[in-house]
Amino acid sequence: MTRTAIVTGAARGIGAATAIRLAADGCAVAVLDLDEAACADTVQAITDAGGQALAVGADVSDAAAVAAAVDRIAAELGAPTILVNNAGIIRDNLLFKMTEDDWDLVLSVHLRGAFLMSRAVQKHQVDASWGRIVNLSSTSALGNRGQANYSAAKAGMQGLTKTLAIELGRYGVTANAIAPGFIVTDMTRATAERMGVGFDEFVEHMAKEVPVGRAGAPDDIAAAAAFFCSEEASFVSGQVLYVAGGPTA
Ligand code: NAI
């Protein structure tokens, strides 16, 4: 049977790779991002490969927009039973320079976004007695200089994941988190810019710290997401999988 999946923040980066991978695995995929037009490339990549995709514009931190988006996806693509909460932003600064807006915005996109999306999708999962939720955490959940807001949000994603697993397990729904290490995307490109270093140099520097000797790619995360979303992962729930090319502290 064709499952309908929603991947948030899927216009680019890890979300795009995950959307493309889930489509290759047979899902109809809602490619959701802030701006519907920005989803065109991901949708094109899926349809060019023979898959089914729908571009959806919505801000995941906006409750009304989330409810409308999930209703539209259910009507146009089928009831969504797979959800990947991937949308994210960074607003890095040392604590003494961090503004309240930067704190609120980061918590809002990651945590409130994952809450709103999960709440909207769970009714379709419960109706189907089957579902998969995958939340994007980060190695920053363990603490990272300059990321008080982001690390709090990413640690929060782990608590949310475990509670969703407990509450929704009886309905055949699993919830798991992926905590990536350093992945080459626009997000890490922005980090390099903020630090005033060239991206290639930054990637090379970061890769030296990784036991497998390379930076991560969006497909590395997509592969982990594909496992959690698979039929055969039905007994794996409430877990946090660090995908970082080595162990984490
Ligand atoms: P990215 O910045 O390349 O892509 C994020 C996407 O989310 C963008 O397309 C953006 O428009 C979208 N987005 C932002 N706010 C949104 C909102 N309110 N509603 C809907 N969409 C929104 O980021 P990347 O690197 O692909 O990261 C994806 C996820 O993985 C994020 O949650 C990030 O925190 C996490 N992550 C990334 C790591 C990395 O090294 N790149 C490491 C650990 C975690």
Side-chain angles (χ1 to χ4, degrees), residues 9 12 14 33 58-60 86 137 150 154 180-181 183 185 187-188:
R12 66 184 197 208
I14 293 169
D33 212 289
D59 176 346
V60 295
N86 165 84
S137 180
Y150 185 81
K154 291 309 199 185
I183 311 296
T185 68
M187 184 179 275
T188 40

Side-chain angles (χ1 to χ4, degrees), residues 86-124:
N86 165 84
I89 56 165
I90 46 171
R91 291 289 183 277
D92 296 355
N93 232 326
L94 293 175
L95 182 62
F96 77 103
K97 287 195 280 190
M98 188 171 285
T99 65
E100 289 152 51
D101 280 352
D102 285 349
W103 175 270
D104 290 344
L105 196 59
V106 169
L107 272 286
S108 184
V109 174
H110 294 271
L111 269 183
R112 183 179 154 86
F115 155 63
L116 292 173
M117 288 297 306
S118 302
R119 191 180 63 178
V121 167
Q122 59 78 32
K123 59 177 180 291
H124 297 290

Side-chain angles (χ1 to χ4, degrees), residues 140-155:
S140 294
L142 302 167
N144 197 24
R145 189 177 169 80
Q147 292 196 315
N149 49 3
Y150 185 81
S151 61
K154 291 309 199 185

Side-chain angles (χ1 to χ4, degrees), residues 2-207:
T2 303
R3 308 263 190 208
T4 296
I6 303 176
V7 183
T8 70
R12 66 184 197 208
I14 293 169
T18 302
I20 290 165
R21 171 62 194 262
L22 292 180
D25 288 353
C27 296
V29 181
V31 176
L32 187 150
D33 212 289
L34 278 171
D35 176 8
E36 185 172 321
C39 299
D41 287 353
T42 308
V43 167
Q44 184 83 49
I46 290 172
T47 49
D48 282 355
Q52 201 187 345
L54 175 72
V56 180
D59 176 346
V60 295
S61 65
D62 177 335
V66 164
V70 172
D71 284 351
R72 184 184 157 208
I73 291 160
E76 293 185 30
L77 215 51
T81 53
I82 297 176
L83 170 64
V84 181
N85 284 309
N86 165 84
I89 56 165
I90 46 171
R91 291 289 183 277
D92 296 355
N93 232 326
L94 293 175
L95 182 62
F96 77 103
K97 287 195 280 190
M98 188 171 285
T99 65
E100 289 152 51
D101 280 352
D102 285 349
W103 175 270
D104 290 344
L105 196 59
V106 169
L107 272 286
S108 184
V109 174
H110 294 271
L111 269 183
R112 183 179 154 86
F115 155 63
L116 292 173
M117 288 297 306
S118 302
R119 191 180 63 178
V121 167
Q122 59 78 32
K123 59 177 180 291
H124 297 290
Q125 297 175 319
V126 169
D127 284 350
S129 300
W130 191 92
R132 300 282 184 263
I133 297 174
V134 177
N135 293 322
L136 268 290
S137 180
S138 167
T139 50
S140 294
L142 302 167
N144 197 24
R145 189 177 169 80
Q147 292 196 315
N149 49 3
Y150 185 81
S151 61
K154 291 309 199 185
M157 293 295 267
Q158 298 190 10
L160 173 67
T161 300
K162 290 173 192 189
T163 299
L164 294 176
I166 291 166
E167 288 192 15
L168 298 174
R170 71 186 60 179
Y171 305 105
V173 179
T174 67
N176 292 284
I178 300 171
F182 180 76
I183 311 296
V184 175
T185 68
D186 287 348
M187 184 179 275
T188 40
R189 189 177 292 276
T191 306
E193 266 169 34
R194 191 176 46 79
M195 293 168 72
V197 278
F199 193 48
D200 290 347
E201 190 190 330
F202 185 58
V203 170
E204 200 180 316
H205 169 77
M206 297 300 283

